[in-house]
Structures are given as C-alpha cells and as structure tokens.
Amino acid sequence: PVDFSGTWNLVCSDNFEGYMLALGIDFATRKIAKRLKPQKVIEQEGDSFSIQTTSAFRSYFVQFKIGEAFEEDNKGLDHRKCKTVVTWDNDKLVCVQTGDKKNRGWTHWIEGDQLYLELCCEEQVCTQIYKRA
Ligand code: RET
C-alpha cells in the first residue's frame, strides 16, 4: 500500500488564487499566501493520518482516521466549520468537506517521488505538486 509519510516541499501550484477566492479569503491574505512555499509533514500509521502544513506566514494541522467523520475548524484558513471525512479511492486519499461551500474537498496521491494535492471549492480546482525534502 502507499505510504504518504514524510516531509514534502511545494514545487508548483496552479490556481491557488482561484481556490482562495472561492473560500472568500481576503485580498491581503491571498497576496501573502500565493507567494508561500508550504511544507507538509505527513505521518501515516495504518489508516491514521496527521498532516501539518507549515509556512512562514501561517500553518494548518489536521488529524483523521480513514472513514471516520470529524468536525474540521479550518482555523487560519477560512474558519468555516465542515463535517469532514477522508476515504481511500484505490491509492488516492479523498477528502470531502461538507459545509457552507459546495464541492469542497481535496485529493492526495503520489506519482514517482512527487506528492500531488488537488484542492476543490465550488468551481475552482487548485493543483499542487510537492517533492520529498
Ligand atoms: C496557508 C496560508 C494561509 C492561507 C491559506 C493556506 C492554505 C492552506 C491549505 C491547507 C490544506 C491542507 C490540506 C491538508 C491535508 O492534506 C498555506 C496555510 C489559504 C489549503 C489539504
């Protein structure tokens, strides 16, 4: 099975601006956030995950077990509460964030030595690629 564990650095990002706009992130925050190169530290033990996204400006931490819904606070992002659940779709990690925003969620997968992250909100899709540190 896939193991997402490790430290990953952002190498490219497409339409993060559109994603942040869809979330209603304010102009000043977007201006700073789009220049960031966040690092992800993922710990995976079986079906338990913790994902720390760290940047010079702000950070975000989330912890979950596959298939177990939890309340996500999105603290430091848009602060909207979601009922969140993450499941496997073959080797992809698929997150659905149910709340005020339609079509909100993300998918993580690995290809070669790259970690992909697709972030969705409403009509916007942001694709990011991370490389092992
Ligand atoms: C930053 C900087 C402040 C503004 C925004 C951010 C976005 C963070 C995101 C994190 C996603 C985390 C995921 C975790 C699971 O893999 C970089 C904190 C909007 C979108 C998908």
Side-chain angles (χ1 to χ4, degrees):
V2 239
D3 190 359
F4 287 82
S5 297
T7 301
W8 304 87
N9 292 326
L10 183 77
V11 287
C12 64
S13 180
D14 180 60
N15 196 36
F16 190 47
E17 176 73 5
Y19 173 78
M20 288 191 289
L21 268 170
L23 282 179
I25 307 281
D26 67 86
F27 177 80
T29 303
R30 292 202 313 275
K31 263 186 77 169
I32 299 168
K34 71 178 175 198
R35 306 178 53 125
L36 298 171
K37 295 264 181 266
Q39 182 176 74
K40 281 193 193 285
V41 177
I42 303 180
E43 286 177 19
Q44 175 181 353
E45 274 180 58
D47 275 352
S48 296
F49 286 80
S50 72
I51 302 181
Q52 173 80 56
T53 304
T54 306
S55 81
F57 170 58
R58 223 175 263 167
S59 298
Y60 187 68
F61 180 73
V62 66
Q63 231 175 342
F64 56 86
K65 257 191 181 170
I66 296 295
E68 288 186 11
F70 62 100
E71 178 155 309
E72 188 174 14
D73 58 13
N74 293 291
K75 209 174 154 195
L77 309 183
D78 66 323
H79 296 272
R80 282 190 196 82
K81 292 214 160 79
C82 293
K83 177 72 130 338
T84 300
V85 66
V86 184
T87 55
W88 287 113
D89 173 14
N90 295 306
D91 284 346
K92 291 187 176 183
L93 268 186
V94 178
C95 172
V96 175
Q97 296 167 313
T98 306
D100 296 338
K101 292 288 178 182
K102 294 222 175 339
N103 192 38
R104 181 172 182 172
W106 52 258
T107 302
H108 259 315
W109 71 95
I110 290 175
E111 274 177 39
D113 63 345
Q114 295 185 328
L115 173 74
Y116 285 74
L117 172 61
E118 199 174 82
L119 294 158
C120 299
C121 183
E122 297 179 327
E123 274 72 56
Q124 300 297 318
V125 180
C126 163
T127 306
Q128 298 187 333
I129 303 177
Y130 293 78
K131 277 209 158 120
R132 278 196 192 275

